[in-house]
Amino acid sequence: MSAKGGQVRVMRVKDWTHPVRAVRREVLTATPEVDEGKPPVLFVPGFGHGAWAFTEHWLEHTASRGFPAHAMSLRGHGGSGPAPEATLRAYTHDVAQVAASLPRQAVLVGHGAGALVVTHALARYPARAGVLVAPVFGGWGTAGVALLRNPVGTLPAIFGGRLRLSRRQLFSRELPDAAARGYTGRLGRAGKRAQWQLLTHREPEPAVGNPPMLVLGSPDDRVVSAAALGRAARRYGAAPLLFPGMGHDLMLDARWREPIDAILDWLDKER
Amino acid sequence: MSTSADHDRPDFSFGDNESGSAASHPGGRSVYDRGGAVCVIGAGASGLTAIKNLKEYGFDVDCYERETGVGGAWNWRHDRSPVYASTHLISSKPFTQFPDFLMPDSWPDYPHHSQLLSYLDRYADHFDLRPHIWFGTEVVRVEPVDGHRWDVTTRSTGGYGTERTSRYAAVVVANGHNWSPKLPSYEGLDEFRGQVMHASAYKEATQLRGKRVLVVGAGNTGCDIAVEAGQQAAKCWHSSRRGYWYAPKYVFGRPTDQVNDRVLAMRLPLWLRQWLFHRTLRLTVGDLTRFGLPRPDHKVYETHPIANSQLVYYIGHGAVTPVPEIIQFRSYSVKLSDGQEIEPDLVVFATGYLPRFEFLAPEILGTNADGRPALYLNAFPRRHPTLAVAGLLQPDSGVFPLVHWQTVAIARWLRLRETAPERATSFAARIDTDAGRRFNRAKVKDSSRHWFEIGHVDYLRALQRTLDELETAP
Ligand SMILES: Cc1cc2nc3c(=O)[nH]c(=O)nc-3n(C[C@H](O)[C@H](O)[C@H](O)COP(=O)(O)OP(=O)(O)OC[C@H]3O[C@@H](n4cnc5c(N)ncnc54)[C@H](O)[C@@H]3O)c2cc1C
């Protein structure tokens, strides 16, 4: 997956003739005390989550390690403007817009279905690096796993209803119940069409600018299977970094510090 | 604003660094050998995207820019900037932005020139391009040496200081083609006592206020200036030699280029598209000959259409008077082809620009006696595989996306020549046979004004094929 290897797509008739509608976008920022010249990191939450999922822990922690940190909410999520008809293309546009608005070339970090959005955005924006956290690339396999694990919460989503992720899918037992309830209570929903596209979307186009890529997740994630995680990492020619004992929401779970430190260590090395 | 002094410069010290070392020139002059580095001339939109894409493909890049900032034509502070206070884009945002660096959603469909400059400034900072640029440095000579390498001689823009020559593996010329005024010649022009200026010297409406103005030329700039004169001047005549198609900036409430490309996407035959466009203009703009404008002597798409919603409006107010072409100047008047004689105090020639490459011997770009170079894809000259021109395009859409892909193609081509020279030969052969070919299905007029005219869809499709063909392993 690189600009040099893949076939770029020059003709973008849809983007030219039906530009994605503008919408208010929430972007939350934490700035390091001294500018060490490290690249900005942009966190992209998955479906149902907003920028808030990163402001709990990862945003400040990233800034404390010298990286300007930003978390955004896709349209229709968190504090961004409403967008019931949002599509994967609109979400991709949101990420490409926010990335280009940052003062320097950014690292894109996508979580869950936000990782899928990031892989699409990487074809529209030459990121400094791409990080996919517990990536949900969708397809019918993912839906099958989710149906088995949480039939009541998943089945309506297949028919355009709301996807309800359970506490067990998102967090380990180590996270106190009150916190877990608080987070699941904040979950919203993605656009119907975007949710459907998660099952039916096309392969993302190759990333432009040949960015280094990192995939990480947990073998105990009850949304993304270990096999799916392995497949995602192999697409970029590497093995995933694994954090056993954690749930799908690595940025909110009890041991949130380990994965973000691993990401930032990797970024420090890549520079 | 950051200046060149804020940044690390490429190291030009003698010998002891990796990428630069002194070599001696046959003429005895000392030459700084920049190894595999590529030289980019100009830091306008084309130069900036060239630097970025060459960097992305792993090249060392030095860019020389005669001005003290980036932005080229869009930087109104620059001596040679052609923009005037009221310049807005004529291509709508999705066609104008770089495909991998979107313009903000909060901007209008047709941004103002100052927004374009801030966009290019941000592009330069975002991708950290400034450390590669030598500002205030003009390229005065580019000469082939040693097979396919190039000696680039520079000096400071004011002409003071000494010249220095550096040797590069390749050169990308991105010096722009909208700065050297093309002035027509007319009998009696020297005797004319009124004020005469080229549109490049036009900056703001106060220059027109209260005057009797004759605007010559019906290109986008000519129409813009006529519209301003219509509002500010005591009188405005607008002279055009031929009839043009005036497309409004909006049809059906959408930017016209977006509607047009929807039709293009249907891949209808040219005649049908032309019929549809004629129909749409008939419905939206109406019959312009009723306003005294000449009937177009060509079909749409044969010249790039003029995007201007206001000209017809001001003609309708009687604020702009269309007149035919000029026959002759007299001391205080101008004689027109319909026998009329008018008495302007100011004549503005919006008669376009000519490309200039003073630093290159004309045969290198295959330039003919008129000054038109022969290039493949408007970029690649014959027999000089390590030289390319970026941005020499007059598209029926925005320029930036086209130059972006053009410079990606240049970067891929330079890489492929190193990594898979056997695959590179077939592309070299194509440059040879197809240099000078036009990328436009419609038959385009042959005046210098239309030399670099391309249909963006035909051109981008050709670029897509080239990019696929030049694909290199990561
Ligand atoms: C009035 C007007 C309106 C326009 N409207 C649009 C529009 O709506 N949409 C659109 O896409 N395009 C428009 N354009 C076209 C515009 O030219 C391009 O958008 C773009 O600016 C071209 O960029 P460039 O880098 O090729 O050339 P330029 O912007 O001209 O930049 C060339 C740079 O090279 C430098 N240079 C030149 N010679 C030397 C040398 N010997 N040594 C060192 N440096 C050198 C110059 O100082 C300059 O900075 C318009 C042009 C004009 C004149």
Side-chain angles (χ1 to χ4, degrees), chain B residues 40-49 63-75 78-84 87-92 95-97 110-111 113 116 120 134 136-141 153-155 157 173-179 199 220-221 224 249 353 356-359 390-395 397-401 403:
Chain B
V40 173
I41 304 172
S46 305
L48 291 175
T49 193
C63 170
Y64 298 105
E65 168 53 59
R66 62 189 300 284
E67 302 281 354
T68 52
V70 302
W74 296 103
N75 197 326
H78 291 176
D79 299 349
R80 296 165 168 183
S81 167
V83 307
Y84 29 92
T87 309
H88 278 259
L89 280 180
I90 47 167
S91 47
S92 80
F95 291 93
T96 315
Q97 62 199 350
Y110 295 102
H113 71 78
L116 263 276
L120 294 173
W134 293 73
T137 307
E138 190 163 22
V139 171
V140 290
R141 257 190 324 281
T153 302
T154 58
R155 65 156 185 250
T157 302
V173 177
N175 65 335
H177 59 106
N178 284 320
W179 53 267
N220 281 298
T221 300
D224 275 0
K249 279 191 156 174
Y353 297 87
R356 272 175 61 188
F357 305 96
E358 317 95 316
F359 42 77
L392 192 57
L393 299 165
Q394 178 79 65
S397 73
V399 178
F400 302 2
V403 196

Side-chain angles (χ1 to χ4, degrees), chain A residues 55-138:
Chain A
T55 52
E56 284 295 307
H57 311 295
W58 279 19
L59 205 66
E60 284 298 337
H61 188 71
T62 302
S64 76
R65 288 197 45 183
F67 293 86
H70 309 269
M72 63 179 295
S73 297
L74 298 172
R75 59 185 61 207
H77 290 80
S80 287
E85 287 305 303
T87 55
L88 210 47
R89 181 167 82 104
Y91 292 156
T92 302
H93 174 81
D94 288 341
V95 176
Q97 277 278 320
V98 176
S101 76
L102 300 176
R104 274 177 282 147
Q105 207 172 358
V107 176
L108 302 187
V109 182
H111 170 256
L116 175 67
V117 177
V118 162
T119 59
H120 281 279
L122 288 173
R124 302 306 313 274
Y125 172 77
R128 187 73 69 95
V131 181
L132 310 178
V133 184
V136 174
F137 284 162

Side-chain angles (χ1 to χ4, degrees), chain A residues 3-5 8 17 102 125, chain B residues 122 126 262 412 464 471-472:
Chain A
K4 291 175 209 164
V8 293
T17 60
L102 300 176
Y125 172 77
Chain B
R122 281 205 303 110
H126 195 89
R262 252 179 242 196
R412 284 191 174 193
Q464 176 84 64
E471 196 182 307
T472 59

Side-chain angles (χ1 to χ4, degrees), chain A residues 2-8 10-11 13 15-19 25 93 97 99-100 102-105 124-126 209, chain B residues 56-57 94-95 99-105 122 126-127 254 258 261-262 265 405 412 460 464 467 471-472 474:
Chain A
S2 76
K4 291 175 209 164
Q7 282 207 345
V8 293
V10 167
M11 298 295 293
V13 177
D15 291 317
W16 299 334
T17 60
H18 293 78
R25 272 184 293 265
H93 174 81
Q97 277 278 320
L102 300 176
R104 274 177 282 147
Q105 207 172 358
R124 302 306 313 274
Y125 172 77
Chain B
E56 233 167 69
Y57 279 78
F95 291 93
D100 58 353
F101 189 72
L102 306 185
M103 286 185 184
D105 270 352
R122 281 205 303 110
H126 195 89
F127 296 111
R254 311 271 324 156
Q258 298 179 17
D261 266 43
R262 252 179 242 196
W405 292 117
R412 284 191 174 193
L460 282 175
Q464 176 84 64
L467 287 164
E471 196 182 307
T472 59

